[in-house]
mmCIF file with all atom_site columns, all heavy atoms in Angstrom:
data_model
loop_
_atom_site.group_PDB
_atom_site.id
_atom_site.type_symbol
_atom_site.label_atom_id
_atom_site.label_alt_id
_atom_site.label_comp_id
_atom_site.label_asym_id
_atom_site.label_entity_id
_atom_site.label_seq_id
_atom_site.pdbx_PDB_ins_code
_atom_site.Cartn_x
_atom_site.Cartn_y
_atom_site.Cartn_z
_atom_site.occupancy
_atom_site.B_iso_or_equiv
_atom_site.pdbx_formal_charge
_atom_site.auth_seq_id
_atom_site.auth_comp_id
_atom_site.auth_asym_id
_atom_site.auth_atom_id
_atom_site.pdbx_PDB_model_num
ATOM 1   N N   . ARG K 1 89  ? 73.205 105.502 108.820 1.00 90.00 ? 89  ARG K N   1
ATOM 2   C CA  . ARG K 1 89  ? 71.795 105.450 109.199 1.00 90.00 ? 89  ARG K CA  1
ATOM 3   C C   . ARG K 1 89  ? 71.240 104.029 109.100 1.00 90.00 ? 89  ARG K C   1
ATOM 4   O O   . ARG K 1 89  ? 71.673 103.222 108.285 1.00 90.00 ? 89  ARG K O   1
ATOM 5   C CB  . ARG K 1 89  ? 70.976 106.360 108.287 1.00 90.00 ? 89  ARG K CB  1
ATOM 6   C CG  . ARG K 1 89  ? 71.217 107.837 108.474 1.00 90.00 ? 89  ARG K CG  1
ATOM 7   C CD  . ARG K 1 89  ? 70.352 108.624 107.518 1.00 90.00 ? 89  ARG K CD  1
ATOM 8   N NE  . ARG K 1 89  ? 70.537 110.059 107.687 1.00 90.00 ? 89  ARG K NE  1
ATOM 9   C CZ  . ARG K 1 89  ? 69.879 110.985 106.965 1.00 90.00 ? 89  ARG K CZ  1
ATOM 10  N NH1 . ARG K 1 89  ? 69.006 110.594 106.050 1.00 90.00 ? 89  ARG K NH1 1
ATOM 11  N NH2 . ARG K 1 89  ? 70.098 112.272 107.166 1.00 90.00 ? 89  ARG K NH2 1
ATOM 12  N N   . GLN K 1 90  ? 70.235 103.783 109.937 1.00 88.00 ? 90  GLN K N   1
ATOM 13  C CA  . GLN K 1 90  ? 69.447 102.559 109.864 1.00 88.00 ? 90  GLN K CA  1
ATOM 14  C C   . GLN K 1 90  ? 67.969 102.937 109.882 1.00 88.00 ? 90  GLN K C   1
ATOM 15  O O   . GLN K 1 90  ? 67.577 103.900 110.538 1.00 88.00 ? 90  GLN K O   1
ATOM 16  C CB  . GLN K 1 90  ? 69.749 101.628 111.050 1.00 88.00 ? 90  GLN K CB  1
ATOM 17  C CG  . GLN K 1 90  ? 71.145 101.065 111.038 1.00 88.00 ? 90  GLN K CG  1
ATOM 18  C CD  . GLN K 1 90  ? 71.316 99.987  112.083 1.00 88.00 ? 90  GLN K CD  1
ATOM 19  O OE1 . GLN K 1 90  ? 71.197 98.802  111.791 1.00 88.00 ? 90  GLN K OE1 1
ATOM 20  N NE2 . GLN K 1 90  ? 71.579 100.395 113.325 1.00 88.00 ? 90  GLN K NE2 1
ATOM 21  N N   . SER K 1 91  ? 67.174 102.183 109.189 1.00 88.00 ? 91  SER K N   1
ATOM 22  C CA  . SER K 1 91  ? 65.754 102.492 109.092 1.00 88.00 ? 91  SER K CA  1
ATOM 23  C C   . SER K 1 91  ? 65.065 102.295 110.437 1.00 88.00 ? 91  SER K C   1
ATOM 24  O O   . SER K 1 91  ? 64.995 101.174 110.962 1.00 88.00 ? 91  SER K O   1
ATOM 25  C CB  . SER K 1 91  ? 65.097 101.592 108.033 1.00 88.00 ? 91  SER K CB  1
ATOM 26  O OG  . SER K 1 91  ? 63.711 101.850 107.950 1.00 88.00 ? 91  SER K OG  1
ATOM 27  N N   . GLY K 1 92  ? 64.597 103.401 111.009 1.00 88.00 ? 92  GLY K N   1
ATOM 28  C CA  . GLY K 1 92  ? 63.860 103.343 112.264 1.00 88.00 ? 92  GLY K CA  1
ATOM 29  C C   . GLY K 1 92  ? 64.680 102.967 113.464 1.00 88.00 ? 92  GLY K C   1
ATOM 30  O O   . GLY K 1 92  ? 64.129 102.650 114.515 1.00 88.00 ? 92  GLY K O   1
ATOM 31  N N   . LYS K 1 93  ? 66.007 102.973 113.355 1.00 87.00 ? 93  LYS K N   1
ATOM 32  C CA  . LYS K 1 93  ? 66.870 102.579 114.475 1.00 87.00 ? 93  LYS K CA  1
ATOM 33  C C   . LYS K 1 93  ? 67.951 103.624 114.698 1.00 87.00 ? 93  LYS K C   1
ATOM 34  O O   . LYS K 1 93  ? 68.136 104.534 113.905 1.00 87.00 ? 93  LYS K O   1
ATOM 35  C CB  . LYS K 1 93  ? 67.539 101.225 114.188 1.00 87.00 ? 93  LYS K CB  1
ATOM 36  C CG  . LYS K 1 93  ? 66.582 100.075 113.953 1.00 87.00 ? 93  LYS K CG  1
ATOM 37  C CD  . LYS K 1 93  ? 67.371 98.808  113.637 1.00 87.00 ? 93  LYS K CD  1
ATOM 38  C CE  . LYS K 1 93  ? 66.451 97.640  113.367 1.00 87.00 ? 93  LYS K CE  1
ATOM 39  N NZ  . LYS K 1 93  ? 67.224 96.406  113.040 1.00 87.00 ? 93  LYS K NZ  1
ATOM 40  N N   . GLN K 1 94  ? 68.637 103.455 115.804 1.00 86.00 ? 94  GLN K N   1
ATOM 41  C CA  . GLN K 1 94  ? 69.806 104.285 116.038 1.00 86.00 ? 94  GLN K CA  1
ATOM 42  C C   . GLN K 1 94  ? 70.854 103.996 114.950 1.00 86.00 ? 94  GLN K C   1
ATOM 43  O O   . GLN K 1 94  ? 70.962 102.858 114.488 1.00 86.00 ? 94  GLN K O   1
ATOM 44  C CB  . GLN K 1 94  ? 70.419 103.993 117.418 1.00 86.00 ? 94  GLN K CB  1
ATOM 45  C CG  . GLN K 1 94  ? 69.601 104.496 118.582 1.00 86.00 ? 94  GLN K CG  1
ATOM 46  C CD  . GLN K 1 94  ? 69.648 106.010 118.694 1.00 86.00 ? 94  GLN K CD  1
ATOM 47  O OE1 . GLN K 1 94  ? 70.579 106.652 118.215 1.00 86.00 ? 94  GLN K OE1 1
ATOM 48  N NE2 . GLN K 1 94  ? 68.627 106.593 119.309 1.00 86.00 ? 94  GLN K NE2 1
ATOM 49  N N   . PRO K 1 95  ? 71.587 104.993 114.526 1.00 89.00 ? 95  PRO K N   1
ATOM 50  C CA  . PRO K 1 95  ? 72.578 104.770 113.470 1.00 89.00 ? 95  PRO K CA  1
ATOM 51  C C   . PRO K 1 95  ? 73.703 103.847 113.921 1.00 89.00 ? 95  PRO K C   1
ATOM 52  O O   . PRO K 1 95  ? 73.995 103.737 115.117 1.00 89.00 ? 95  PRO K O   1
ATOM 53  C CB  . PRO K 1 95  ? 73.100 106.175 113.168 1.00 89.00 ? 95  PRO K CB  1
ATOM 54  C CG  . PRO K 1 95  ? 72.841 106.952 114.417 1.00 89.00 ? 95  PRO K CG  1
ATOM 55  C CD  . PRO K 1 95  ? 71.570 106.390 114.997 1.00 89.00 ? 95  PRO K CD  1
ATOM 56  N N   . LEU K 1 96  ? 74.313 103.196 112.963 1.00 90.00 ? 96  LEU K N   1
ATOM 57  C CA  . LEU K 1 96  ? 75.474 102.367 113.256 1.00 90.00 ? 96  LEU K CA  1
ATOM 58  C C   . LEU K 1 96  ? 76.665 103.251 113.556 1.00 90.00 ? 96  LEU K C   1
ATOM 59  O O   . LEU K 1 96  ? 76.878 104.283 112.900 1.00 90.00 ? 96  LEU K O   1
ATOM 60  C CB  . LEU K 1 96  ? 75.797 101.464 112.062 1.00 90.00 ? 96  LEU K CB  1
ATOM 61  C CG  . LEU K 1 96  ? 74.804 100.344 111.751 1.00 90.00 ? 96  LEU K CG  1
ATOM 62  C CD1 . LEU K 1 96  ? 75.202 99.653  110.446 1.00 90.00 ? 96  LEU K CD1 1
ATOM 63  C CD2 . LEU K 1 96  ? 74.764 99.341  112.898 1.00 90.00 ? 96  LEU K CD2 1
ATOM 64  N N   . SER K 1 97  ? 77.467 102.847 114.525 1.00 91.00 ? 97  SER K N   1
ATOM 65  C CA  . SER K 1 97  ? 78.649 103.615 114.886 1.00 91.00 ? 97  SER K CA  1
ATOM 66  C C   . SER K 1 97  ? 79.609 103.713 113.709 1.00 91.00 ? 97  SER K C   1
ATOM 67  O O   . SER K 1 97  ? 79.670 102.841 112.837 1.00 91.00 ? 97  SER K O   1
ATOM 68  C CB  . SER K 1 97  ? 79.362 102.954 116.066 1.00 91.00 ? 97  SER K CB  1
ATOM 69  O OG  . SER K 1 97  ? 80.627 103.548 116.279 1.00 91.00 ? 97  SER K OG  1
ATOM 70  N N   . ALA K 1 98  ? 80.351 104.803 113.690 1.00 93.00 ? 98  ALA K N   1
ATOM 71  C CA  . ALA K 1 98  ? 81.368 104.960 112.640 1.00 93.00 ? 98  ALA K CA  1
ATOM 72  C C   . ALA K 1 98  ? 82.424 103.873 112.745 1.00 93.00 ? 98  ALA K C   1
ATOM 73  O O   . ALA K 1 98  ? 83.023 103.477 111.739 1.00 93.00 ? 98  ALA K O   1
ATOM 74  C CB  . ALA K 1 98  ? 82.026 106.332 112.756 1.00 93.00 ? 98  ALA K CB  1
ATOM 75  N N   . PHE K 1 99  ? 82.645 103.365 113.965 1.00 94.00 ? 99  PHE K N   1
ATOM 76  C CA  . PHE K 1 99  ? 83.648 102.329 114.183 1.00 94.00 ? 99  PHE K CA  1
ATOM 77  C C   . PHE K 1 99  ? 82.980 100.970 114.329 1.00 94.00 ? 99  PHE K C   1
ATOM 78  O O   . PHE K 1 99  ? 81.992 100.823 115.051 1.00 94.00 ? 99  PHE K O   1
ATOM 79  C CB  . PHE K 1 99  ? 84.465 102.615 115.451 1.00 94.00 ? 99  PHE K CB  1
ATOM 80  C CG  . PHE K 1 99  ? 85.292 103.865 115.380 1.00 94.00 ? 99  PHE K CG  1
ATOM 81  C CD1 . PHE K 1 99  ? 84.759 105.079 115.788 1.00 94.00 ? 99  PHE K CD1 1
ATOM 82  C CD2 . PHE K 1 99  ? 86.585 103.829 114.896 1.00 94.00 ? 99  PHE K CD2 1
ATOM 83  C CE1 . PHE K 1 99  ? 85.515 106.238 115.723 1.00 94.00 ? 99  PHE K CE1 1
ATOM 84  C CE2 . PHE K 1 99  ? 87.347 104.978 114.831 1.00 94.00 ? 99  PHE K CE2 1
ATOM 85  C CZ  . PHE K 1 99  ? 86.799 106.189 115.246 1.00 94.00 ? 99  PHE K CZ  1
ATOM 86  N N   . SER K 1 100 ? 83.537 99.993  113.650 1.00 92.00 ? 100 SER K N   1
ATOM 87  C CA  . SER K 1 100 ? 83.115 98.608  113.875 1.00 92.00 ? 100 SER K CA  1
ATOM 88  C C   . SER K 1 100 ? 84.219 97.819  114.569 1.00 92.00 ? 100 SER K C   1
ATOM 89  O O   . SER K 1 100 ? 83.948 96.809  115.217 1.00 92.00 ? 100 SER K O   1
ATOM 90  C CB  . SER K 1 100 ? 82.741 97.931  112.559 1.00 92.00 ? 100 SER K CB  1
ATOM 91  O OG  . SER K 1 100 ? 83.779 98.027  111.612 1.00 92.00 ? 100 SER K OG  1
ATOM 92  N N   . ILE K 1 101 ? 85.459 98.278  114.439 1.00 93.00 ? 101 ILE K N   1
ATOM 93  C CA  . ILE K 1 101 ? 86.601 97.709  115.163 1.00 93.00 ? 101 ILE K CA  1
ATOM 94  C C   . ILE K 1 101 ? 87.466 98.868  115.642 1.00 93.00 ? 101 ILE K C   1
ATOM 95  O O   . ILE K 1 101 ? 87.803 99.767  114.870 1.00 93.00 ? 101 ILE K O   1
ATOM 96  C CB  . ILE K 1 101 ? 87.433 96.764  114.284 1.00 93.00 ? 101 ILE K CB  1
ATOM 97  C CG1 . ILE K 1 101 ? 86.618 95.544  113.859 1.00 93.00 ? 101 ILE K CG1 1
ATOM 98  C CG2 . ILE K 1 101 ? 88.703 96.305  115.014 1.00 93.00 ? 101 ILE K CG2 1
ATOM 99  C CD1 . ILE K 1 101 ? 87.363 94.585  112.944 1.00 93.00 ? 101 ILE K CD1 1
ATOM 100 N N   . ALA K 1 102 ? 87.809 98.847  116.912 1.00 93.00 ? 102 ALA K N   1
ATOM 101 C CA  . ALA K 1 102 ? 88.663 99.892  117.475 1.00 93.00 ? 102 ALA K CA  1
ATOM 102 C C   . ALA K 1 102 ? 89.542 99.262  118.543 1.00 93.00 ? 102 ALA K C   1
ATOM 103 O O   . ALA K 1 102 ? 89.185 99.212  119.717 1.00 93.00 ? 102 ALA K O   1
ATOM 104 C CB  . ALA K 1 102 ? 87.819 101.022 118.052 1.00 93.00 ? 102 ALA K CB  1
ATOM 105 N N   . THR K 1 103 ? 90.689 98.771  118.154 1.00 93.00 ? 103 THR K N   1
ATOM 106 C CA  . THR K 1 103 ? 91.656 98.150  119.065 1.00 93.00 ? 103 THR K CA  1
ATOM 107 C C   . THR K 1 103 ? 92.956 98.956  119.021 1.00 93.00 ? 103 THR K C   1
ATOM 108 O O   . THR K 1 103 ? 93.117 99.836  118.168 1.00 93.00 ? 103 THR K O   1
ATOM 109 C CB  . THR K 1 103 ? 91.931 96.693  118.672 1.00 93.00 ? 103 THR K CB  1
ATOM 110 O OG1 . THR K 1 103 ? 92.707 96.670  117.461 1.00 93.00 ? 103 THR K OG1 1
ATOM 111 C CG2 . THR K 1 103 ? 90.630 95.920  118.457 1.00 93.00 ? 103 THR K CG2 1
ATOM 112 N N   . PRO K 1 104 ? 93.903 98.669  119.905 1.00 94.00 ? 104 PRO K N   1
ATOM 113 C CA  . PRO K 1 104 ? 95.154 99.438  119.914 1.00 94.00 ? 104 PRO K CA  1
ATOM 114 C C   . PRO K 1 104 ? 95.966 99.355  118.622 1.00 94.00 ? 104 PRO K C   1
ATOM 115 O O   . PRO K 1 104 ? 96.751 100.262 118.323 1.00 94.00 ? 104 PRO K O   1
ATOM 116 C CB  . PRO K 1 104 ? 95.928 98.833  121.095 1.00 94.00 ? 104 PRO K CB  1
ATOM 117 C CG  . PRO K 1 104 ? 94.869 98.314  122.009 1.00 94.00 ? 104 PRO K CG  1
ATOM 118 C CD  . PRO K 1 104 ? 93.802 97.799  121.108 1.00 94.00 ? 104 PRO K CD  1
ATOM 119 N N   . THR K 1 105 ? 95.810 98.285  117.842 1.00 95.00 ? 105 THR K N   1
ATOM 120 C CA  . THR K 1 105 ? 96.616 98.134  116.631 1.00 95.00 ? 105 THR K CA  1
ATOM 121 C C   . THR K 1 105 ? 95.786 97.971  115.363 1.00 95.00 ? 105 THR K C   1
ATOM 122 O O   . THR K 1 105 ? 96.343 97.732  114.291 1.00 95.00 ? 105 THR K O   1
ATOM 123 C CB  . THR K 1 105 ? 97.564 96.931  116.751 1.00 95.00 ? 105 THR K CB  1
ATOM 124 O OG1 . THR K 1 105 ? 96.796 95.754  117.021 1.00 95.00 ? 105 THR K OG1 1
ATOM 125 C CG2 . THR K 1 105 ? 98.588 97.148  117.857 1.00 95.00 ? 105 THR K CG2 1
ATOM 126 N N   . SER K 1 106 ? 94.469 98.084  115.452 1.00 95.00 ? 106 SER K N   1
ATOM 127 C CA  . SER K 1 106 ? 93.631 97.967  114.261 1.00 95.00 ? 106 SER K CA  1
ATOM 128 C C   . SER K 1 106 ? 92.387 98.830  114.420 1.00 95.00 ? 106 SER K C   1
ATOM 129 O O   . SER K 1 106 ? 91.914 99.076  115.538 1.00 95.00 ? 106 SER K O   1
ATOM 130 C CB  . SER K 1 106 ? 93.240 96.509  114.001 1.00 95.00 ? 106 SER K CB  1
ATOM 131 O OG  . SER K 1 106 ? 92.444 96.010  115.049 1.00 95.00 ? 106 SER K OG  1
#
Side-chain angles (χ1 to χ4, degrees):
R89 291 180 179 180
Q90 293 190 96
S91 178
K93 301 178 181 179
Q94 288 288 337
L96 291 174
S97 170
F99 295 90
S100 54
I101 296 178
T103 72
T105 57
S106 64

